[in-house]
Amino acid sequence: MNIKESIASCYFKYASFKGRASRSEYWYFFLYAVILGEIIQFAVSMAMQQPYMMIDPVNGSVVYTNAFWITQAISLFLITIPSASVMIRRLHDSDKSGWWWLVNFTIIGVF
């Protein structure tokens, strides 16, 4: 499966959490999601003419700008659900339950 077929397959099976996903489908979509996220971040930052995040001069803390929140909203709809779907289908392909995906939300999933 090439990169175009993988991306098309992931968006075609947008909310399908049944079935299996090949290794190439998973990794090509992962690569696509990372690149798309960076492009969206750059485009939104340039369009709004403000950085993605800034340092507050008063107390030195990181302040996220509107560009950050807009980028997160766009990414949520374009990448998150298809990514979850392909991850769960990849788990099925390795003979594991899709519920293992929830490990990502625990402290175990961080390491």
Side-chain angles (χ1 to χ4, degrees), residues 52-84:
Y52 197 60
M53 60 184 169
M54 301 182 303
I55 304 296
D56 188 4
V58 176
N59 61 9
S61 64
V62 175
V63 177
Y64 294 103
T65 62
N66 288 338
F68 173 80
W69 299 113
I70 291 172
T71 303
Q72 293 303 311
I74 293 170
S75 297
L76 176 71
F77 292 113
L78 289 179
I79 298 172
T80 304
I81 296 173
S83 292

CSV table of all heavy atoms in Angstrom, one decimal, residues 52-84:
chain,number,residue,atom,x,y,z
A,52,TYR,N,3.0,31.0,17.5
A,52,TYR,CA,2.2,29.9,18.0
A,52,TYR,C,2.0,30.0,19.5
A,52,TYR,O,1.0,29.8,20.1
A,52,TYR,CB,2.9,28.6,17.6
A,52,TYR,CG,2.0,27.4,17.7
A,52,TYR,CD1,0.9,27.2,17.0
A,52,TYR,CD2,2.5,26.3,18.6
A,52,TYR,CE1,0.2,26.1,17.1
A,52,TYR,CE2,1.7,25.2,18.6
A,52,TYR,CZ,0.6,25.0,17.9
A,52,TYR,OH,-0.1,23.9,17.9
A,53,MET,N,3.1,30.4,20.2
A,53,MET,CA,3.1,30.7,21.6
A,53,MET,C,4.1,31.7,21.9
A,53,MET,O,5.0,32.0,21.2
A,53,MET,CB,3.3,29.4,22.4
A,53,MET,CG,4.6,28.7,22.2
A,53,MET,SD,4.6,27.2,23.1
A,53,MET,CE,6.1,26.5,22.4
A,54,MET,N,3.9,32.4,23.0
A,54,MET,CA,4.8,33.5,23.4
A,54,MET,C,5.2,33.3,24.9
A,54,MET,O,4.5,32.6,25.6
A,54,MET,CB,4.1,34.9,23.3
A,54,MET,CG,3.7,35.2,21.8
A,54,MET,SD,2.9,36.8,21.6
A,54,MET,CE,1.6,36.8,22.7
A,55,ILE,N,6.2,34.0,25.3
A,55,ILE,CA,6.6,34.0,26.7
A,55,ILE,C,6.1,35.3,27.3
A,55,ILE,O,6.3,36.4,26.8
A,55,ILE,CB,8.2,34.0,26.9
A,55,ILE,CG1,8.7,32.7,26.2
A,55,ILE,CG2,8.6,34.0,28.3
A,55,ILE,CD1,8.3,31.4,26.7
A,56,ASP,N,5.4,35.2,28.4
A,56,ASP,CA,4.8,36.4,29.1
A,56,ASP,C,6.0,37.1,29.7
A,56,ASP,O,6.7,36.6,30.5
A,56,ASP,CB,3.8,35.9,30.2
A,56,ASP,CG,3.1,37.1,30.8
A,56,ASP,OD1,3.3,38.2,30.4
A,56,ASP,OD2,2.3,36.8,31.8
A,57,PRO,N,6.2,38.4,29.4
A,57,PRO,CA,7.3,39.2,29.9
A,57,PRO,C,7.2,39.4,31.4
A,57,PRO,O,8.2,39.7,32.1
A,57,PRO,CB,7.3,40.5,29.1
A,57,PRO,CG,5.9,40.6,28.6
A,57,PRO,CD,5.4,39.2,28.5
A,58,VAL,N,6.0,39.4,32.0
A,58,VAL,CA,5.8,39.7,33.4
A,58,VAL,C,6.3,38.5,34.3
A,58,VAL,O,7.2,38.7,35.2
A,58,VAL,CB,4.4,40.0,33.7
A,58,VAL,CG1,4.2,40.2,35.2
A,58,VAL,CG2,3.9,41.2,32.9
A,59,ASN,N,5.8,37.3,34.1
A,59,ASN,CA,6.2,36.2,34.9
A,59,ASN,C,6.9,35.1,34.2
A,59,ASN,O,7.3,34.1,34.8
A,59,ASN,CB,5.0,35.6,35.6
A,59,ASN,CG,3.9,35.1,34.7
A,59,ASN,OD1,4.2,35.0,33.5
A,59,ASN,ND2,2.8,34.8,35.2
A,60,GLY,N,7.2,35.2,32.9
A,60,GLY,CA,8.0,34.3,32.2
A,60,GLY,C,7.3,33.0,31.8
A,60,GLY,O,7.9,32.0,31.4
A,61,SER,N,6.0,32.9,32.0
A,61,SER,CA,5.2,31.7,31.6
A,61,SER,C,4.9,31.7,30.1
A,61,SER,O,4.9,32.7,29.5
A,61,SER,CB,4.0,31.6,32.5
A,61,SER,OG,3.1,32.7,32.1
A,62,VAL,N,4.6,30.5,29.6
A,62,VAL,CA,4.2,30.3,28.2
A,62,VAL,C,2.8,30.7,28.1
A,62,VAL,O,1.9,30.2,28.8
A,62,VAL,CB,4.5,28.9,27.8
A,62,VAL,CG1,4.0,28.7,26.4
A,62,VAL,CG2,6.0,28.6,27.9
A,63,VAL,N,2.5,31.5,27.1
A,63,VAL,CA,1.1,31.9,26.8
A,63,VAL,C,0.8,31.4,25.4
A,63,VAL,O,1.5,31.8,24.4
A,63,VAL,CB,1.0,33.5,26.9
A,63,VAL,CG1,-0.4,33.9,26.5
A,63,VAL,CG2,1.3,34.0,28.2
A,64,TYR,N,-0.3,30.6,25.2
A,64,TYR,CA,-0.7,30.2,23.9
A,64,TYR,C,-1.6,31.2,23.3
A,64,TYR,O,-2.5,31.7,23.9
A,64,TYR,CB,-1.4,28.8,24.1
A,64,TYR,CG,-0.5,27.7,24.5
A,64,TYR,CD1,-0.6,27.3,25.8
A,64,TYR,CD2,0.4,27.2,23.7
A,64,TYR,CE1,0.3,26.3,26.3
A,64,TYR,CE2,1.3,26.1,24.1
A,64,TYR,CZ,1.2,25.7,25.4
A,64,TYR,OH,2.0,24.7,25.8
A,65,THR,N,-1.3,31.5,22.0
A,65,THR,CA,-2.1,32.5,21.3
A,65,THR,C,-3.3,31.9,20.7
A,65,THR,O,-3.5,30.7,20.7
A,65,THR,CB,-1.2,33.2,20.3
A,65,THR,OG1,-0.8,32.2,19.3
A,65,THR,CG2,0.1,33.8,20.9
A,66,ASN,N,-4.1,32.7,20.0
A,66,ASN,CA,-5.3,32.2,19.3
A,66,ASN,C,-4.9,31.3,18.2
A,66,ASN,O,-5.6,30.3,17.9
A,66,ASN,CB,-6.1,33.4,18.7
A,66,ASN,CG,-6.8,34.2,19.8
A,66,ASN,OD1,-7.0,33.7,20.9
A,66,ASN,ND2,-7.1,35.4,19.5
A,67,ALA,N,-3.7,31.5,17.6
A,67,ALA,CA,-3.2,30.6,16.5
A,67,ALA,C,-3.1,29.1,17.1
A,67,ALA,O,-3.4,28.2,16.4
A,67,ALA,CB,-1.9,31.0,16.0
A,68,PHE,N,-2.7,29.0,18.3
A,68,PHE,CA,-2.6,27.6,18.9
A,68,PHE,C,-4.0,27.0,19.0
A,68,PHE,O,-4.1,25.8,18.6
A,68,PHE,CB,-2.0,27.7,20.3
A,68,PHE,CG,-2.0,26.5,21.0
A,68,PHE,CD1,-1.0,25.5,20.8
A,68,PHE,CD2,-2.9,26.2,22.0
A,68,PHE,CE1,-1.0,24.3,21.5
A,68,PHE,CE2,-2.9,25.0,22.7
A,68,PHE,CZ,-2.0,24.1,22.5
A,69,TRP,N,-4.9,27.7,19.5
A,69,TRP,CA,-6.3,27.1,19.7
A,69,TRP,C,-7.0,26.8,18.4
A,69,TRP,O,-7.7,25.8,18.2
A,69,TRP,CB,-7.1,28.0,20.6
A,69,TRP,CG,-6.5,28.1,21.9
A,69,TRP,CD1,-5.9,29.3,22.4
A,69,TRP,CD2,-6.2,27.1,22.9
A,69,TRP,NE1,-5.4,29.0,23.7
A,69,TRP,CE2,-5.5,27.7,23.9
A,69,TRP,CE3,-6.5,25.7,22.9
A,69,TRP,CZ2,-5.2,27.0,25.1
A,69,TRP,CZ3,-6.1,25.0,24.0
A,69,TRP,CH2,-5.4,25.6,25.1
A,70,ILE,N,-6.8,27.7,17.4
A,70,ILE,CA,-7.4,27.4,16.0
A,70,ILE,C,-6.7,26.2,15.4
A,70,ILE,O,-7.4,25.3,14.8
A,70,ILE,CB,-7.2,28.7,15.1
A,70,ILE,CG1,-8.1,29.8,15.7
A,70,ILE,CG2,-7.5,28.3,13.7
A,70,ILE,CD1,-7.9,31.1,15.0
A,71,THR,N,-5.4,26.1,15.5
A,71,THR,CA,-4.7,24.9,15.0
A,71,THR,C,-5.2,23.6,15.7
A,71,THR,O,-5.3,22.6,15.0
A,71,THR,CB,-3.2,25.1,15.2
A,71,THR,OG1,-2.7,26.3,14.6
A,71,THR,CG2,-2.4,23.9,14.6
A,72,GLN,N,-5.4,23.7,17.0
A,72,GLN,CA,-5.8,22.5,17.7
A,72,GLN,C,-7.2,22.1,17.2
A,72,GLN,O,-7.5,20.9,17.1
A,72,GLN,CB,-5.8,22.7,19.2
A,72,GLN,CG,-4.4,22.9,19.8
A,72,GLN,CD,-3.5,21.7,19.5
A,72,GLN,OE1,-3.9,20.6,19.7
A,72,GLN,NE2,-2.3,22.0,19.0
A,73,ALA,N,-8.1,23.0,17.0
A,73,ALA,CA,-9.4,22.7,16.6
A,73,ALA,C,-9.4,22.1,15.2
A,73,ALA,O,-10.1,21.1,14.9
A,73,ALA,CB,-10.3,24.0,16.6
A,74,ILE,N,-8.6,22.6,14.3
A,74,ILE,CA,-8.5,22.1,12.9
A,74,ILE,C,-8.0,20.7,12.9
A,74,ILE,O,-8.5,19.8,12.3
A,74,ILE,CB,-7.7,23.0,12.0
A,74,ILE,CG1,-8.4,24.3,11.8
A,74,ILE,CG2,-7.4,22.3,10.7
A,74,ILE,CD1,-7.6,25.4,11.1
A,75,SER,N,-6.9,20.5,13.7
A,75,SER,CA,-6.3,19.2,13.8
A,75,SER,C,-7.2,18.2,14.4
A,75,SER,O,-7.2,17.0,14.0
A,75,SER,CB,-5.0,19.3,14.7
A,75,SER,OG,-4.1,20.1,14.1
A,76,LEU,N,-8.0,18.6,15.4
A,76,LEU,CA,-8.9,17.6,16.0
A,76,LEU,C,-9.8,17.0,14.9
A,76,LEU,O,-10.0,15.8,14.9
A,76,LEU,CB,-9.8,18.4,17.0
A,76,LEU,CG,-10.9,17.5,17.7
A,76,LEU,CD1,-10.2,16.5,18.6
A,76,LEU,CD2,-11.8,18.4,18.5
A,77,PHE,N,-10.4,17.8,14.1
A,77,PHE,CA,-11.3,17.3,13.1
A,77,PHE,C,-10.6,16.6,11.9
A,77,PHE,O,-11.2,15.6,11.4
A,77,PHE,CB,-12.2,18.4,12.5
A,77,PHE,CG,-13.2,18.9,13.6
A,77,PHE,CD1,-13.0,20.2,14.1
A,77,PHE,CD2,-14.1,18.1,14.1
A,77,PHE,CE1,-13.9,20.7,15.1
A,77,PHE,CE2,-15.0,18.6,15.1
A,77,PHE,CZ,-14.9,19.9,15.6
A,78,LEU,N,-9.4,17.0,11.5
A,78,LEU,CA,-8.8,16.4,10.4
A,78,LEU,C,-7.9,15.2,10.7
A,78,LEU,O,-7.7,14.4,9.8
A,78,LEU,CB,-7.9,17.5,9.7
A,78,LEU,CG,-8.6,18.6,8.9
A,78,LEU,CD1,-7.5,19.5,8.4
A,78,LEU,CD2,-9.5,18.1,7.9
A,79,ILE,N,-7.4,15.1,11.9
A,79,ILE,CA,-6.4,14.1,12.2
A,79,ILE,C,-6.8,13.2,13.3
A,79,ILE,O,-6.6,12.0,13.2
A,79,ILE,CB,-5.1,14.8,12.5
A,79,ILE,CG1,-4.6,15.6,11.3
A,79,ILE,CG2,-4.0,13.8,12.9
A,79,ILE,CD1,-3.4,16.4,11.6
A,80,THR,N,-7.4,13.7,14.4
A,80,THR,CA,-7.6,12.9,15.6
A,80,THR,C,-8.4,11.6,15.4
A,80,THR,O,-8.0,10.5,15.8
A,80,THR,CB,-8.1,13.7,16.7
A,80,THR,OG1,-7.2,14.9,16.9
A,80,THR,CG2,-8.2,13.0,18.0
A,81,ILE,N,-9.6,11.8,14.9
A,81,ILE,CA,-10.5,10.7,14.7
A,81,ILE,C,-10.0,9.6,13.8
A,81,ILE,O,-10.0,8.4,14.1
A,81,ILE,CB,-12.0,11.1,14.4
A,81,ILE,CG1,-12.5,12.0,15.6
A,81,ILE,CG2,-12.9,9.9,14.1
A,81,ILE,CD1,-13.8,12.6,15.3
A,82,PRO,N,-9.5,10.0,12.6
A,82,PRO,CA,-8.9,9.0,11.7
A,82,PRO,C,-7.7,8.3,12.3
A,82,PRO,O,-7.5,7.1,12.1
A,82,PRO,CB,-8.5,9.8,10.4
A,82,PRO,CG,-9.3,11.0,10.5
A,82,PRO,CD,-9.6,11.3,11.9
A,83,SER,N,-6.9,9.1,13.1
A,83,SER,CA,-5.7,8.5,13.7
A,83,SER,C,-6.2,7.4,14.8
A,83,SER,O,-5.6,6.4,14.9
A,83,SER,CB,-4.9,9.6,14.4
A,83,SER,OG,-4.3,10.4,13.5
A,84,ALA,N,-7.2,7.8,15.6
A,84,ALA,CA,-7.7,6.8,16.5
A,84,ALA,C,-8.2,5.6,15.8
A,84,ALA,O,-7.9,4.4,16.3
A,84,ALA,CB,-8.8,7.4,17.4
